[in-house]
Amino acid sequence: MDTRTPHPSLPAKPRAFGFFVDGAWVKTGGRDTLDRISPAHDIPVTTIALCTKADVDHAVKVAREAFEDRRWSGQAAADRAAVLLRAAQGIRARVDELALLETLETGKPISQSRGEVEGAAGIYEYAAGAARMLHGETFNNLGDKMLGLVTREPIGVVGLITPWNFPFFILAERVPFILAAGCTIVCKPSEFTSSTTLLMAEILAEAGLPAGVFNVVTGLGAEVGQAITEHPDIDMASFTGSTATGRRAVQASAGNFKKLGLELGGKNPQIVFADADLEDAADGVIFSMCFNAGQCCVGGSRLVVERSIAGTFEKLVTAKLAKVRVGDPLNPDTQVGAMVTPEHNAKVLGYIENGRKAGARLVAGGGKAGSPAGNFVQPTLFADVTTDMAIAREEIFGPVLGIIPFETEEEAIAIANNVDYGLAASIWTKNLDKAVNVMRRVRAGRTWINCTITGGPEMPIGGFKQSGWGRETGIYGVEEYTQIKSCHIELGQRAPWIS
Ligand code: NAD
């Protein structure tokens, strides 16, 4: 018997959303609206409000009041944890609805959306525990007359800006940690994928989060996002998106020197040594390049492979690549769905053309895939790629991989590090000494040995170099949203200054 979830259907008309401030939905009113067109089906699926700078100002005022009156930060961590645990239950109760919206707006396979929504619930549960782990330090070594306390306090009002590639999952890698720290939030999701973030606000409110603690304003990056990064009354902005926009966020944040968390782009190497389990490595490399149609910040986009096996490995990857199922993301069997927009689709196809012109040898894919409707790219493999080519240096953000051969371990490390980014790297070898040496020397925030794009909320995520600042998730992800305060306590009589 087929026990899989039935093939969900397309909505008859787009679902319209207001936005969420001070614990309640706000109607779109006279604001302009934006329809989201499903990138896999070319039909409108959702409609959002285009909020204005005035809407951001109001949401920040609400979040500031909610922070200052301590309605959230003043609660015991156990009580904050209880809200996060109920929110996890709220997510689980709405998996079908959230996953369908996620697929309609992003174009990602429905099976993947379900996995991400269920995974997100688990992250809220982890963060509930992390809320109760947060603590400071004491210095009991300052002499008998002095005790030192180091306390952590929530940093304040956080502006949270998220991208379109993992709208609900990336939100889950930020929101419960920020809430665990005791902060309040003004969030702006990507204009392409706002609906599940809006529903999360409703789920949190139903879970007992006090009004005003999590607010969502929707709209365009240049207006709403920019207003958040510039805002003088936001204490920290957490930005996840492209390196170019991240640079703008750095400039905008200078007005009030707000702290910034930046999770930016990557150009991640898959380093394959001759002594790897090549079948396993080929499967992992393909998963890494194709996952989310290559629109994954930590996805593998450079295949750095030992020259002695480069030919064999190329054949192995090509054979496996032919079996990857690209198509309608609503089909539960689909592995690779649509690219997020026609513009992005064209950009990825442009990079493929660029690779051809630069002299790389096209081994697999190389063009559009799927039906006339929608935006699909064939998983594409290039060989004979050199480190100076654009396809070897720039973030393509599509299912495109280039093979760069190496001779020695030193050369593999040098190639891996020879880009502006430092987000992630995977190393495939059965030699543990070699694996650990390469892992230590590769300049990337997330590394995997004999696996790729895996892990849970216990471990920190973030980038080196132009891939970002700071870390999310794990206990680090809660600490990131705190300020440290020191306090000296004098015991007994203080030695007088004036005799
Ligand atoms: P993007 O930079 O275009 O947009 C990200 C967010 O910033 C969106 O909400 C957008 O509306 C907003 N924005 C746009 N202009 C802005 C401005 N001037 N000021 C403030 N906000 C503004 O990125 P994207 O295309 O949505 O996402 C893809 C990028 O995100 C890729 O580069 C990818 O590598 C990166 N990413 C990184 C991570 C990570 O953890 N490092 C995770 C996911 C995605």
Short mmCIF file of all heavy atoms in Angstrom, two decimals, residues 160-166 170 173-174 188-193 219-230 239-246 248-249 252 262-266 268 295-298 340 344 347 395 397 421 423 446 461-463 467-468 472, ligand 1:
data_model
loop_
_atom_site.label_atom_id
_atom_site.label_comp_id
_atom_site.label_asym_id
_atom_site.label_seq_id
_atom_site.Cartn_x
_atom_site.Cartn_y
_atom_site.Cartn_z
N LEU A 160 15.34 41.05 12.43
CA LEU A 160 15.69 39.75 11.84
C LEU A 160 15.29 39.74 10.37
O LEU A 160 14.11 39.90 10.05
CB LEU A 160 14.96 38.64 12.61
CG LEU A 160 15.13 37.21 12.11
CD1 LEU A 160 16.59 36.78 12.17
CD2 LEU A 160 14.29 36.27 12.96
N ILE A 161 16.27 39.59 9.50
CA ILE A 161 16.00 39.61 8.05
C ILE A 161 16.41 38.26 7.47
O ILE A 161 17.55 37.82 7.67
CB ILE A 161 16.80 40.76 7.38
CG1 ILE A 161 16.36 42.10 7.97
CG2 ILE A 161 16.59 40.74 5.86
CD1 ILE A 161 17.15 43.29 7.49
N THR A 162 15.48 37.61 6.78
CA THR A 162 15.74 36.23 6.33
C THR A 162 15.60 36.09 4.81
O THR A 162 14.91 36.89 4.17
CB THR A 162 14.78 35.25 7.03
OG1 THR A 162 13.44 35.66 6.79
CG2 THR A 162 15.04 35.17 8.52
N PRO A 163 16.23 35.07 4.24
CA PRO A 163 16.20 34.86 2.79
C PRO A 163 15.08 33.89 2.38
O PRO A 163 14.33 33.40 3.22
CB PRO A 163 17.56 34.25 2.51
CG PRO A 163 17.83 33.42 3.73
CD PRO A 163 17.15 34.10 4.89
N TRP A 164 15.04 33.59 1.08
CA TRP A 164 13.94 32.78 0.54
C TRP A 164 14.27 31.30 0.43
O TRP A 164 13.40 30.50 0.11
CB TRP A 164 13.55 33.28 -0.86
CG TRP A 164 14.73 33.53 -1.78
CD1 TRP A 164 15.27 34.75 -2.07
CD2 TRP A 164 15.52 32.56 -2.49
NE1 TRP A 164 16.35 34.60 -2.92
CE2 TRP A 164 16.53 33.27 -3.19
CE3 TRP A 164 15.48 31.17 -2.60
CZ2 TRP A 164 17.49 32.63 -3.98
CZ3 TRP A 164 16.44 30.54 -3.39
CH2 TRP A 164 17.42 31.27 -4.07
N ASN A 165 15.54 30.91 0.65
CA ASN A 165 15.86 29.53 0.29
C ASN A 165 15.38 28.49 1.31
O ASN A 165 14.97 27.40 0.93
CB ASN A 165 17.35 29.38 -0.04
CG ASN A 165 18.26 29.83 1.07
OD1 ASN A 165 17.84 30.51 2.01
ND2 ASN A 165 19.52 29.45 0.99
N PHE A 166 15.43 28.85 2.61
CA PHE A 166 14.88 27.97 3.65
C PHE A 166 14.05 28.85 4.59
O PHE A 166 14.44 29.04 5.75
CB PHE A 166 15.99 27.25 4.42
CG PHE A 166 16.80 26.32 3.56
CD1 PHE A 166 17.97 26.75 2.96
CD2 PHE A 166 16.37 25.02 3.33
CE1 PHE A 166 18.71 25.91 2.15
CE2 PHE A 166 17.10 24.17 2.52
CZ PHE A 166 18.27 24.61 1.93
N ILE A 170 15.35 28.39 8.38
CA ILE A 170 16.30 29.43 8.82
C ILE A 170 15.67 30.28 9.92
O ILE A 170 16.33 30.66 10.89
CB ILE A 170 16.77 30.28 7.62
CG1 ILE A 170 17.78 29.48 6.81
CG2 ILE A 170 17.37 31.61 8.06
CD1 ILE A 170 18.35 30.18 5.59
N GLU A 173 16.19 28.53 12.98
CA GLU A 173 17.57 28.57 13.46
C GLU A 173 17.89 29.92 14.13
O GLU A 173 18.99 30.10 14.64
CB GLU A 173 18.54 28.32 12.30
CG GLU A 173 18.51 26.87 11.82
CD GLU A 173 19.43 26.62 10.63
OE1 GLU A 173 19.66 27.56 9.83
OE2 GLU A 173 19.91 25.49 10.48
N ARG A 174 16.96 30.86 14.10
CA ARG A 174 17.17 32.18 14.71
C ARG A 174 16.17 32.46 15.83
O ARG A 174 16.55 32.73 16.96
CB ARG A 174 17.01 33.32 13.66
CG ARG A 174 17.68 33.07 12.31
CD ARG A 174 19.16 33.35 12.36
NE ARG A 174 19.76 33.20 11.04
CZ ARG A 174 20.21 32.07 10.50
NH1 ARG A 174 20.11 30.94 11.19
NH2 ARG A 174 20.77 32.04 9.32
N LYS A 188 11.63 40.56 9.16
CA LYS A 188 11.22 40.75 7.77
C LYS A 188 11.66 39.54 6.95
O LYS A 188 12.85 39.37 6.66
CB LYS A 188 11.85 42.01 7.17
CG LYS A 188 11.22 42.31 5.81
CD LYS A 188 12.13 43.02 4.85
CE LYS A 188 12.89 42.12 3.94
NZ LYS A 188 12.10 41.42 2.91
N PRO A 189 10.70 38.71 6.56
CA PRO A 189 11.06 37.58 5.69
C PRO A 189 11.28 38.07 4.27
O PRO A 189 10.94 39.21 3.92
CB PRO A 189 9.83 36.69 5.77
CG PRO A 189 8.69 37.60 6.12
CD PRO A 189 9.26 38.76 6.90
N SER A 190 11.84 37.20 3.43
CA SER A 190 11.98 37.54 2.01
C SER A 190 10.61 37.82 1.41
O SER A 190 9.63 37.14 1.73
CB SER A 190 12.64 36.38 1.27
OG SER A 190 12.46 36.56 -0.12
N GLU A 191 10.54 38.78 0.54
CA GLU A 191 9.26 39.13 -0.11
C GLU A 191 8.72 37.98 -0.95
O GLU A 191 7.54 37.95 -1.29
CB GLU A 191 9.42 40.40 -0.96
CG GLU A 191 10.55 40.39 -1.97
CD GLU A 191 11.88 40.87 -1.41
OE1 GLU A 191 12.16 40.62 -0.21
OE2 GLU A 191 12.66 41.49 -2.16
N PHE A 192 9.59 37.01 -1.29
CA PHE A 192 9.14 35.86 -2.09
C PHE A 192 8.49 34.79 -1.22
O PHE A 192 7.74 33.95 -1.72
CB PHE A 192 10.31 35.24 -2.85
CG PHE A 192 11.02 36.20 -3.77
CD1 PHE A 192 12.40 36.34 -3.73
CD2 PHE A 192 10.31 36.96 -4.69
CE1 PHE A 192 13.06 37.22 -4.57
CE2 PHE A 192 10.95 37.85 -5.53
CZ PHE A 192 12.34 37.98 -5.47
N THR A 193 8.83 34.77 0.06
CA THR A 193 8.46 33.62 0.90
C THR A 193 8.06 34.07 2.30
O THR A 193 8.67 33.66 3.28
CB THR A 193 9.67 32.67 1.02
OG1 THR A 193 10.78 33.43 1.52
CG2 THR A 193 10.05 32.03 -0.30
N GLY A 219 7.49 42.84 3.07
CA GLY A 219 7.74 43.83 2.02
C GLY A 219 9.11 43.70 1.41
O GLY A 219 9.79 42.68 1.57
N LEU A 220 9.51 44.76 0.75
CA LEU A 220 10.73 44.72 -0.06
C LEU A 220 11.97 45.01 0.78
O LEU A 220 11.93 45.79 1.74
CB LEU A 220 10.62 45.74 -1.20
CG LEU A 220 9.42 45.52 -2.14
CD1 LEU A 220 9.34 46.62 -3.18
CD2 LEU A 220 9.50 44.15 -2.82
N GLY A 221 13.07 44.41 0.33
CA GLY A 221 14.32 44.59 1.06
C GLY A 221 14.78 46.03 1.08
O GLY A 221 15.20 46.54 2.13
N ALA A 222 14.70 46.69 -0.07
CA ALA A 222 15.25 48.04 -0.17
C ALA A 222 14.50 49.01 0.74
O ALA A 222 15.08 50.00 1.21
CB ALA A 222 15.17 48.52 -1.62
N GLU A 223 13.22 48.72 1.02
CA GLU A 223 12.46 49.63 1.89
C GLU A 223 12.40 49.10 3.33
O GLU A 223 12.91 49.71 4.25
CB GLU A 223 11.04 49.84 1.33
CG GLU A 223 10.23 50.76 2.22
CD GLU A 223 9.07 51.43 1.53
OE1 GLU A 223 8.71 51.03 0.42
OE2 GLU A 223 8.51 52.39 2.12
N VAL A 224 11.80 47.92 3.49
CA VAL A 224 11.56 47.40 4.84
C VAL A 224 12.87 46.87 5.47
O VAL A 224 13.18 47.16 6.62
CB VAL A 224 10.48 46.30 4.80
CG1 VAL A 224 10.23 45.73 6.18
CG2 VAL A 224 9.19 46.87 4.22
N GLY A 225 13.63 46.11 4.68
CA GLY A 225 14.90 45.57 5.19
C GLY A 225 15.86 46.70 5.54
O GLY A 225 16.47 46.71 6.62
N GLN A 226 15.98 47.64 4.64
CA GLN A 226 16.88 48.77 4.86
C GLN A 226 16.46 49.57 6.10
O GLN A 226 17.30 49.98 6.90
CB GLN A 226 16.86 49.67 3.60
CG GLN A 226 17.89 50.80 3.60
CD GLN A 226 19.31 50.33 3.28
OE1 GLN A 226 19.51 49.29 2.68
NE2 GLN A 226 20.29 51.11 3.71
N ALA A 227 15.14 49.75 6.27
CA ALA A 227 14.65 50.50 7.44
C ALA A 227 15.04 49.77 8.73
O ALA A 227 15.31 50.41 9.75
CB ALA A 227 13.13 50.67 7.36
N ILE A 228 15.08 48.45 8.68
CA ILE A 228 15.46 47.68 9.88
C ILE A 228 16.95 47.84 10.16
O ILE A 228 17.36 48.13 11.29
CB ILE A 228 15.07 46.19 9.71
CG1 ILE A 228 13.55 46.05 9.84
CG2 ILE A 228 15.78 45.30 10.73
CD1 ILE A 228 13.01 44.66 9.57
N THR A 229 17.78 47.67 9.13
CA THR A 229 19.23 47.73 9.40
C THR A 229 19.66 49.14 9.80
O THR A 229 20.62 49.32 10.53
CB THR A 229 20.06 47.25 8.18
OG1 THR A 229 19.61 47.94 7.02
CG2 THR A 229 19.93 45.76 7.98
N GLU A 230 18.91 50.15 9.33
CA GLU A 230 19.25 51.53 9.68
C GLU A 230 18.66 51.96 11.02
O GLU A 230 19.06 52.97 11.58
CB GLU A 230 18.68 52.49 8.61
CG GLU A 230 19.50 52.58 7.37
CD GLU A 230 18.85 53.46 6.30
OE1 GLU A 230 17.75 54.00 6.53
OE2 GLU A 230 19.46 53.57 5.23
N PHE A 239 21.11 39.25 9.96
CA PHE A 239 20.83 39.25 8.53
C PHE A 239 21.33 37.95 7.91
O PHE A 239 22.50 37.58 8.07
CB PHE A 239 21.51 40.45 7.85
CG PHE A 239 21.41 40.39 6.35
CD1 PHE A 239 20.27 40.83 5.71
CD2 PHE A 239 22.43 39.83 5.59
CE1 PHE A 239 20.15 40.73 4.32
CE2 PHE A 239 22.32 39.73 4.21
CZ PHE A 239 21.18 40.18 3.58
N THR A 240 20.48 37.28 7.18
CA THR A 240 20.88 36.12 6.40
C THR A 240 20.51 36.38 4.95
O THR A 240 19.35 36.65 4.65
CB THR A 240 20.19 34.84 6.90
OG1 THR A 240 20.45 34.70 8.30
CG2 THR A 240 20.71 33.62 6.17
N GLY A 241 21.49 36.33 4.08
CA GLY A 241 21.23 36.61 2.67
C GLY A 241 22.54 36.69 1.92
O GLY A 241 23.56 36.12 2.34
N SER A 242 22.52 37.43 0.83
CA SER A 242 23.71 37.47 -0.03
C SER A 242 24.79 38.36 0.58
O SER A 242 24.51 39.26 1.39
CB SER A 242 23.33 37.99 -1.41
OG SER A 242 22.85 39.31 -1.29
N THR A 243 26.01 38.13 0.17
CA THR A 243 27.13 38.92 0.68
C THR A 243 26.98 40.38 0.26
O THR A 243 27.29 41.30 1.03
CB THR A 243 28.45 38.30 0.19
OG1 THR A 243 28.58 37.01 0.82
CG2 THR A 243 29.67 39.14 0.57
N ALA A 244 26.44 40.62 -0.94
CA ALA A 244 26.28 42.01 -1.40
C ALA A 244 25.30 42.76 -0.50
O ALA A 244 25.59 43.90 -0.07
CB ALA A 244 25.77 42.01 -2.84
N THR A 245 24.17 42.14 -0.16
CA THR A 245 23.21 42.83 0.72
C THR A 245 23.78 42.92 2.14
O THR A 245 23.54 43.91 2.84
CB THR A 245 21.85 42.09 0.72
OG1 THR A 245 21.50 41.77 -0.62
CG2 THR A 245 20.76 42.96 1.30
N GLY A 246 24.53 41.91 2.54
CA GLY A 246 25.16 41.95 3.86
C GLY A 246 26.08 43.15 4.00
O GLY A 246 26.14 43.80 5.06
N ARG A 248 25.71 45.97 2.50
CA ARG A 248 24.82 47.13 2.67
C ARG A 248 24.35 47.21 4.13
O ARG A 248 24.24 48.29 4.71
CB ARG A 248 23.62 47.01 1.74
CG ARG A 248 23.46 48.20 0.84
CD ARG A 248 22.41 47.95 -0.23
NE ARG A 248 22.99 47.34 -1.40
CZ ARG A 248 22.40 46.41 -2.14
NH1 ARG A 248 21.22 45.95 -1.83
NH2 ARG A 248 22.99 45.94 -3.21
N ALA A 249 24.08 46.06 4.72
CA ALA A 249 23.61 46.03 6.11
C ALA A 249 24.70 46.57 7.04
O ALA A 249 24.41 47.28 8.01
CB ALA A 249 23.21 44.61 6.50
N ALA A 252 24.61 50.30 6.72
CA ALA A 252 23.39 50.88 7.30
C ALA A 252 23.42 50.83 8.82
O ALA A 252 22.85 51.69 9.49
CB ALA A 252 22.17 50.13 6.77
N LEU A 262 25.74 38.15 10.70
CA LEU A 262 25.67 38.04 9.23
C LEU A 262 25.92 36.60 8.81
O LEU A 262 26.97 36.03 9.13
CB LEU A 262 26.73 38.93 8.58
CG LEU A 262 26.63 40.44 8.79
CD1 LEU A 262 27.86 41.13 8.19
CD2 LEU A 262 25.37 40.99 8.15
N GLU A 263 24.93 36.04 8.13
CA GLU A 263 25.09 34.70 7.54
C GLU A 263 24.97 34.90 6.04
O GLU A 263 23.87 35.14 5.54
CB GLU A 263 23.99 33.77 8.04
CG GLU A 263 23.98 33.56 9.54
CD GLU A 263 25.02 32.57 10.00
OE1 GLU A 263 25.40 31.70 9.21
OE2 GLU A 263 25.47 32.69 11.15
N LEU A 264 26.09 34.79 5.33
CA LEU A 264 26.11 35.23 3.93
C LEU A 264 26.40 34.06 2.97
O LEU A 264 26.13 32.93 3.28
CB LEU A 264 27.12 36.37 3.78
CG LEU A 264 26.93 37.52 4.80
CD1 LEU A 264 28.03 38.54 4.68
CD2 LEU A 264 25.56 38.17 4.64
N GLY A 265 26.96 34.40 1.82
CA GLY A 265 27.12 33.40 0.77
C GLY A 265 28.27 32.44 0.99
O GLY A 265 29.04 32.55 1.95
N GLY A 266 28.38 31.47 0.07
CA GLY A 266 29.46 30.49 0.16
C GLY A 266 29.87 29.99 -1.22
O GLY A 266 29.17 30.21 -2.21
N ASN A 268 31.44 26.50 -1.63
CA ASN A 268 31.92 25.47 -0.73
C ASN A 268 32.57 24.30 -1.45
O ASN A 268 31.97 23.74 -2.37
CB ASN A 268 30.74 24.99 0.10
CG ASN A 268 29.94 26.16 0.64
OD1 ASN A 268 30.46 26.94 1.42
ND2 ASN A 268 28.70 26.32 0.19
N GLN A 295 20.28 25.85 -4.31
CA GLN A 295 20.07 27.16 -3.68
C GLN A 295 20.24 27.01 -2.17
O GLN A 295 19.33 27.26 -1.38
CB GLN A 295 18.68 27.68 -4.02
CG GLN A 295 18.44 27.78 -5.53
CD GLN A 295 16.97 27.93 -5.89
OE1 GLN A 295 16.58 28.91 -6.49
NE2 GLN A 295 16.14 26.99 -5.51
N CYS A 296 21.40 26.53 -1.82
CA CYS A 296 21.70 26.23 -0.42
C CYS A 296 23.05 26.87 -0.11
O CYS A 296 24.03 26.60 -0.80
CB CYS A 296 21.75 24.72 -0.23
SG CYS A 296 22.21 24.23 1.43
N CYS A 297 23.07 27.70 0.95
CA CYS A 297 24.30 28.46 1.23
C CYS A 297 25.49 27.54 1.47
O CYS A 297 26.61 27.88 1.12
CB CYS A 297 24.09 29.38 2.41
SG CYS A 297 23.50 28.52 3.87
N VAL A 298 25.26 26.35 2.06
CA VAL A 298 26.36 25.44 2.34
C VAL A 298 26.49 24.33 1.29
O VAL A 298 27.25 23.37 1.47
CB VAL A 298 26.26 24.83 3.76
CG1 VAL A 298 26.47 25.87 4.83
CG2 VAL A 298 24.94 24.10 3.95
N VAL A 340 14.07 29.69 -7.77
CA VAL A 340 13.12 30.53 -7.03
C VAL A 340 12.37 31.54 -7.89
O VAL A 340 11.21 31.83 -7.62
CB VAL A 340 13.82 31.21 -5.84
CG1 VAL A 340 14.74 32.32 -6.30
CG2 VAL A 340 12.81 31.72 -4.83
N HIS A 344 16.33 34.45 -11.33
CA HIS A 344 17.41 33.62 -10.78
C HIS A 344 17.70 32.45 -11.72
O HIS A 344 18.86 32.07 -11.90
CB HIS A 344 17.06 33.14 -9.38
CG HIS A 344 18.21 32.46 -8.70
ND1 HIS A 344 19.42 33.09 -8.47
CD2 HIS A 344 18.37 31.19 -8.26
CE1 HIS A 344 20.26 32.24 -7.91
NE2 HIS A 344 19.66 31.09 -7.77
N LYS A 347 19.87 33.69 -14.30
CA LYS A 347 21.22 33.94 -13.79
C LYS A 347 22.03 32.64 -13.76
O LYS A 347 23.20 32.59 -14.16
CB LYS A 347 21.12 34.55 -12.38
CG LYS A 347 22.45 34.88 -11.76
CD LYS A 347 22.27 35.54 -10.40
CE LYS A 347 23.54 35.39 -9.59
NZ LYS A 347 23.38 35.68 -8.18
N GLU A 395 29.42 32.68 -6.25
CA GLU A 395 28.30 31.86 -5.79
C GLU A 395 27.24 31.82 -6.89
O GLU A 395 26.65 32.85 -7.22
CB GLU A 395 27.71 32.45 -4.50
CG GLU A 395 26.65 31.56 -3.90
CD GLU A 395 25.99 32.17 -2.69
OE1 GLU A 395 25.51 33.32 -2.79
OE2 GLU A 395 25.92 31.50 -1.64
N PHE A 397 24.54 29.58 -6.88
CA PHE A 397 23.28 29.31 -6.19
C PHE A 397 22.32 28.53 -7.10
O PHE A 397 21.14 28.87 -7.23
CB PHE A 397 22.65 30.61 -5.70
CG PHE A 397 22.22 30.52 -4.26
CD1 PHE A 397 23.10 30.06 -3.29
CD2 PHE A 397 20.94 30.87 -3.85
CE1 PHE A 397 22.73 29.96 -1.96
CE2 PHE A 397 20.54 30.77 -2.53
CZ PHE A 397 21.45 30.33 -1.58
N TYR A 421 34.98 33.45 0.05
CA TYR A 421 34.02 32.90 1.03
C TYR A 421 34.68 31.89 1.96
O TYR A 421 35.74 31.34 1.65
CB TYR A 421 32.88 32.20 0.29
CG TYR A 421 32.07 33.12 -0.59
CD1 TYR A 421 32.18 33.07 -1.97
CD2 TYR A 421 31.17 34.01 -0.03
CE1 TYR A 421 31.41 33.90 -2.78
CE2 TYR A 421 30.40 34.85 -0.82
CZ TYR A 421 30.53 34.79 -2.20
OH TYR A 421 29.77 35.61 -2.99
N LEU A 423 32.32 29.50 4.08
CA LEU A 423 31.13 29.05 4.80
C LEU A 423 31.22 27.58 5.21
O LEU A 423 31.02 27.25 6.37
CB LEU A 423 29.89 29.29 3.93
CG LEU A 423 28.55 29.26 4.66
CD1 LEU A 423 28.52 30.25 5.81
CD2 LEU A 423 27.41 29.53 3.70
N ARG A 446 31.70 25.73 8.80
CA ARG A 446 31.06 24.41 8.96
C ARG A 446 31.82 23.41 8.12
O ARG A 446 31.99 23.60 6.92
CB ARG A 446 29.60 24.45 8.50
CG ARG A 446 28.76 25.28 9.41
CD ARG A 446 27.37 25.43 8.84
NE ARG A 446 26.53 24.28 9.16
CZ ARG A 446 25.26 24.18 8.78
NH1 ARG A 446 24.71 25.12 8.05
NH2 ARG A 446 24.54 23.14 9.12
N ILE A 461 26.48 27.36 13.60
CA ILE A 461 26.62 27.59 12.16
C ILE A 461 27.05 29.04 11.92
O ILE A 461 26.70 29.93 12.68
CB ILE A 461 25.32 27.26 11.38
CG1 ILE A 461 24.14 28.10 11.88
CG2 ILE A 461 24.97 25.80 11.51
CD1 ILE A 461 22.84 27.79 11.14
N GLY A 462 27.82 29.24 10.86
CA GLY A 462 28.27 30.58 10.54
C GLY A 462 29.51 30.50 9.67
O GLY A 462 30.01 29.41 9.40
N GLY A 463 29.98 31.66 9.21
CA GLY A 463 31.04 31.63 8.21
C GLY A 463 32.31 32.35 8.61
O GLY A 463 32.31 33.22 9.49
N SER A 467 31.85 35.21 4.33
CA SER A 467 30.62 34.45 4.55
C SER A 467 29.89 34.88 5.83
O SER A 467 28.82 34.36 6.11
CB SER A 467 30.91 32.95 4.60
OG SER A 467 31.29 32.50 3.31
N GLY A 468 30.47 35.81 6.58
CA GLY A 468 29.67 36.35 7.67
C GLY A 468 30.39 36.60 8.97
O GLY A 468 31.59 36.40 9.10
N GLU A 472 25.09 31.17 14.73
CA GLU A 472 23.71 30.88 15.11
C GLU A 472 23.66 29.45 15.62
O GLU A 472 24.51 28.64 15.28
CB GLU A 472 22.77 31.01 13.90
CG GLU A 472 22.83 32.33 13.15
CD GLU A 472 22.12 33.49 13.84
OE1 GLU A 472 21.44 33.25 14.86
OE2 GLU A 472 22.25 34.63 13.36
P1 NAD B 1 19.21 38.67 -0.51
O1 NAD B 1 20.43 39.28 0.07
O2 NAD B 1 18.75 39.12 -1.82
O3 NAD B 1 17.97 38.90 0.46
C1 NAD B 1 17.98 38.47 1.82
C2 NAD B 1 17.00 39.30 2.60
O4 NAD B 1 17.49 40.64 2.63
C3 NAD B 1 15.61 39.37 2.00
O5 NAD B 1 14.65 39.37 3.04
C4 NAD B 1 15.61 40.70 1.29
O6 NAD B 1 14.34 41.26 1.12
C5 NAD B 1 16.46 41.52 2.23
N1 NAD B 1 17.06 42.73 1.65
C6 NAD B 1 17.27 43.03 0.35
N2 NAD B 1 17.83 44.26 0.23
C7 NAD B 1 18.01 44.72 1.48
C8 NAD B 1 18.57 45.91 2.02
N3 NAD B 1 19.04 46.88 1.25
N4 NAD B 1 18.63 46.02 3.36
C9 NAD B 1 18.18 45.05 4.16
N5 NAD B 1 17.62 43.92 3.72
C10 NAD B 1 17.54 43.74 2.39
O7 NAD B 1 19.43 37.10 -0.45
P2 NAD B 1 18.47 35.98 -1.00
O8 NAD B 1 18.57 36.01 -2.49
O9 NAD B 1 17.14 36.09 -0.35
O10 NAD B 1 19.15 34.66 -0.42
C11 NAD B 1 20.19 34.01 -1.06
C12 NAD B 1 21.52 34.36 -0.42
O11 NAD B 1 21.45 34.09 0.98
C13 NAD B 1 22.66 33.54 -0.94
O12 NAD B 1 23.78 34.37 -1.14
C14 NAD B 1 22.94 32.55 0.19
O13 NAD B 1 24.25 32.05 0.21
C15 NAD B 1 22.61 33.36 1.38
N6 NAD B 1 22.28 32.50 2.52
C16 NAD B 1 23.20 32.35 3.52
C17 NAD B 1 22.93 31.50 4.58
C18 NAD B 1 23.92 31.29 5.69
O14 NAD B 1 23.56 30.70 6.70
N7 NAD B 1 25.15 31.75 5.55
C19 NAD B 1 21.72 30.82 4.62
C20 NAD B 1 20.83 30.99 3.59
C21 NAD B 1 21.11 31.85 2.55
#
